[in-house]
Each structure stands twice: as C-alpha cells, then as structure tokens.
Amino acid sequence: MNGHSLESGDDRRSRRKYANGSEDDRAERDGGSWDKEADRRSRRRARSREMEYRRRSRTPGSADRRSRSRDRERRRERDGERDRDSRRHRSEERDEGRQRRDYDADSRHRRSRRSPDRRSSRATPRHGENEVVKADNGRSLIKRSGPLPSQSDSFALSKGEELEKPKEKPNFGNTGLLAAASNSITQADGTTITLKYHEPPEARKPPPRDVWKLFVFKGPDIIDTIELGTRSCWLIGRELAVVDLPAEHPSISKQHAVIQFRYTEKRNEFGDKIGRVKPYLIDLESANGTMLNGERVPESRYLELRNKDLIQFGSSTREYVIMLAPKE
C-alpha cells in the first residue's frame, strides 16, 4: 500500500511536472504564434495604408494640382524667356539709336566742313531751271536740267541774252459764260433777266392721286385757287416775264420764293424704301422774307409744306393756304 502510494505520489509529481512543462511550452508556443500574427497584421495594415495613399495620389484633384503646378512652371519659363527677349530687343534698339546718332553727327560734321560755293554748286536745280557750273579754266558753263532748247535759245544763252517767253496756249476749259447764258432769259427789247433758281434733279410733278391746291385769301374771301399739280415748280415774285405765280405787292421781290415738288425716299421699319413726292418752300434771299405759319423761313433752304400750311410773302396781307384734297 505504501509502495503503491509512494509510486502514485511520484507519478503524480511527474505528471504535474510534465503538465507544468507542457503549459510553459504551450504558452511559449502561443506567445510566438501571437507575435507572428501581430507582425502579419501590422504588415497588412502598412500595405493597406500604402495602397490607400497610392489611390489618393491617383485622384483627379491631385492630377489637377500636378497639372496646375506644371502649367505654372511653364508660364514662369515663358515669362522668363519673354523678359530676356524684351531686354535683348531694348538693348539692340539702344545700340541702333546710338549708331544712328553717331552717323547723324558725323554727317552734320562733314556737311559743315563743305564750303558754301561747293554746297551751292551741288544744289539740285528745279525742273526747267539751268544750273551754272564753273569749269577748270574759270569759264561758267550752263548745265540744263530740262529738255534741250532750240538753236535760237542756245545762241541767246551763250550771248547772255534773255530767252523769249513761250506763247500762251489756248485754254479750252469751262469759263462759266455758257452756264450764265443758260440761266438768263432775253426779252423782246433785248434786255436779259437772270434766273435765281433752277430745279433740282429730284424735281417731280405730284402724282394724280395727290391733288394739291393753293388758295389765295384776301381777308376772309378766296380770290384765287391754283392747281399745283400741273407743274413741278412755282416761282413767285413781281417779275412777270419769268414768274409762275405773280405777286404785285411792292414788298415782294422780283423773284421772291419757290414752291417746289421733290421726290424723296424713306425706309420703313422693315427696311423697304418708300418714295413720295412732297411740296417744299424755299426763299430766294428776298428782301422782306417769307413767313410760314407766322414764322420767317431761312433763306435758300427747303422746308416741307404740309396740309393747311399758311404762307405769306413780304408785307403783303394776302395769305396762301396749301391744301391736299381728301382721297375718295
């Protein structure tokens, strides 16, 4: 029993020792495996961080930043090259200006050293003038710049005589006499009357659909009615030989004023041309003037007449009312 118990006790101690040793070995094994796992995890985390960094570095924003930085560097290089070129160009201009000033100063110095006789002898004569050059023997020779003269002129020059002046050539230009004659009218007694007015190129007779009339009032009474559509121009004045509408008041000039029909064109809002023939009033620089609706009109200037306008000539009490008949 005791031996068995002792054996059992030894066995138990050996088993405990083995158990204790196995636990230590297990702990050692477990600790080593844990370190390897931790190392593996750390490497995995480092790899993941590296991959994340690489992925972030490949984002569009980073690419844009890199492209912008490259553009800035290129711009700096271009600006530097441009500045260098501009500085080189300015230096070249300064050198050219300095050379030009030196050349001008040298040329002025050379000209100042020339004698007055030499400068005058080298002066270029005008067209048709003769240049006097002194020969080596002291005689003065005449150097001509124009065509060769005739034999008589060359003999006259050699003798020191004056040349004969050329005859005046006929002038076939307009003298204005024909135009003045066309502006005048010759009467039976031989006297001429010069017209102060001529119709412009745009003069037209009014169309038949526009019936313009001129009513002559003396006080409240109508003393005359004139159909203006029969002609394009109406000359008003006291000169009975040339006027179309006589006005015998002493304050009215011989050729006082004109009622002229003119063709004018205007564009509407669509850009189309619209042409019409309208009456105009012009004062021929009369002595006492012309009144339109109570106001004096300027001289030698067309003013458009409208329906029911009132015209007065000089100091005459007669009133001329222009009216457009209503269309049926």
Side-chain angles (χ1 to χ4, degrees):
M1 293 293 291
N2 293 332
H4 181 71
S5 62
L6 289 172
E7 186 178 359
S8 300
D10 293 336
D11 294 337
R12 282 195 297 272
R13 282 195 297 275
S14 63
R15 283 196 299 272
R16 191 180 299 112
K17 183 177 180 181
Y18 177 78
N20 291 335
S22 63
E23 288 177 359
D24 294 337
D25 294 339
R26 191 183 302 111
E28 185 177 358
R29 285 196 306 272
D30 295 341
S33 63
W34 186 83
D35 292 339
K36 291 179 181 178
E37 184 67 24
D39 189 15
R40 198 178 298 112
R41 290 177 181 174
S42 64
R43 284 198 299 271
R44 195 181 297 114
R45 283 196 295 271
R47 194 179 298 111
S48 65
R49 282 197 297 271
E50 185 178 359
M51 294 295 290
E52 183 67 21
Y53 175 74
R54 290 180 180 176
R55 188 169 58 254
R56 289 180 179 176
S57 65
R58 289 196 297 269
T59 56
S62 62
D64 294 341
R65 286 193 294 273
R66 285 196 300 272
S67 64
R68 285 198 294 271
S69 64
R70 285 196 297 270
D71 293 341
R72 283 196 295 272
E73 292 176 0
R74 293 191 188 117
R75 283 197 296 271
R76 291 196 196 97
E77 292 177 358
R78 285 198 300 269
D79 294 340
E81 292 178 358
R82 194 179 296 110
D83 294 339
R84 286 194 296 273
D85 293 340
S86 62
R87 285 196 295 271
R88 190 183 305 109
H89 184 65
R90 286 196 295 270
S91 64
E92 291 176 357
E93 287 182 351
R94 285 196 297 270
D95 295 340
E96 290 178 0
R98 194 180 300 109
Q99 293 175 2
R100 193 180 300 108
R101 288 195 296 272
D102 295 341
Y103 176 76
D104 294 341
D106 191 13
S107 61
R108 284 196 298 271
H109 179 66
R110 287 197 301 269
R111 285 197 299 270
S112 63
R113 293 178 62 184
R114 295 175 183 173
S115 62
D117 296 338
R118 189 176 181 183
R119 289 199 303 270
S120 62
S121 63
R122 291 188 180 183
T124 304
R126 296 179 182 178
H127 180 70
E129 294 182 355
N130 298 326
E131 182 182 2
V132 180
V133 181
K134 290 186 177 180
D136 296 336
N137 55 5
R139 296 180 61 185
S140 60
L141 302 177
I142 298 175
K143 188 176 180 180
R144 311 185 190 284
S145 60
L148 292 176
S150 62
Q151 188 174 8
S152 59
D153 292 343
S154 61
F155 283 136
L157 288 173
S158 61
K159 294 179 181 180
E161 299 177 359
E162 294 183 357
L163 297 177
E164 184 180 358
K165 293 183 180 181
K167 296 181 180 180
E168 186 178 357
K169 296 181 179 180
N171 183 10
F172 297 101
N174 296 328
T175 60
L177 298 177
L178 185 61
S182 63
N183 293 341
S184 61
I185 295 176
T186 305
Q187 300 187 55
D189 56 356
T191 59
T192 59
I193 300 173
T194 303
L195 296 176
K196 296 175 63 177
Y197 179 79
H198 285 273
E199 293 189 73
E202 66 273 11
R204 301 285 191 280
K205 289 177 64 175
R209 66 174 181 274
D210 296 336
V211 181
W212 290 93
K213 294 184 179 182
L214 187 66
F215 296 91
V216 183
F217 286 85
K218 187 174 183 180
D221 301 327
I222 299 177
I223 60 175
D224 196 3
T225 302
I226 302 168
E227 297 283 345
L228 297 178
T230 57
R231 59 177 64 205
S232 60
C233 174
W234 292 84
L235 177 60
I236 303 164
R238 291 188 297 107
E239 193 71 59
L240 300 180
V242 295
V243 299
D244 305 309
L245 182 60
E248 299 178 358
H249 196 274
S251 63
I252 298 176
S253 303
K254 293 182 179 180
Q255 300 178 42
H256 193 96
V258 172
I259 296 176
Q260 176 70 60
F261 285 94
R262 302 169 62 203
Y263 176 78
T264 58
E265 286 185 350
K266 291 185 179 180
R267 293 184 180 271
N268 57 8
E269 63 272 12
F270 304 105
D272 301 329
K273 290 184 178 180
I274 299 176
R276 289 191 60 187
V277 177
K278 299 179 181 180
Y280 289 84
L281 175 67
I282 181 172
D283 183 80
L284 301 179
E285 300 179 358
S286 60
N288 298 305
T290 304
M291 306 292 290
L292 177 62
N293 297 326
E295 296 182 1
R296 184 163 181 168
V297 301
E299 298 176 353
S300 302
R301 182 177 176 184
Y302 286 109
L303 291 179
E304 182 183 350
L305 293 174
R306 297 179 180 178
N307 189 27
K308 299 181 182 180
D309 276 349
L310 177 63
I311 307 171
Q312 291 176 295
F313 302 106
S315 302
S316 175
T317 58
R318 293 188 179 186
E319 297 177 347
Y320 299 80
V321 179
I322 185 170
M323 296 187 69
L324 177 62
K327 297 179 182 180
E328 298 179 358

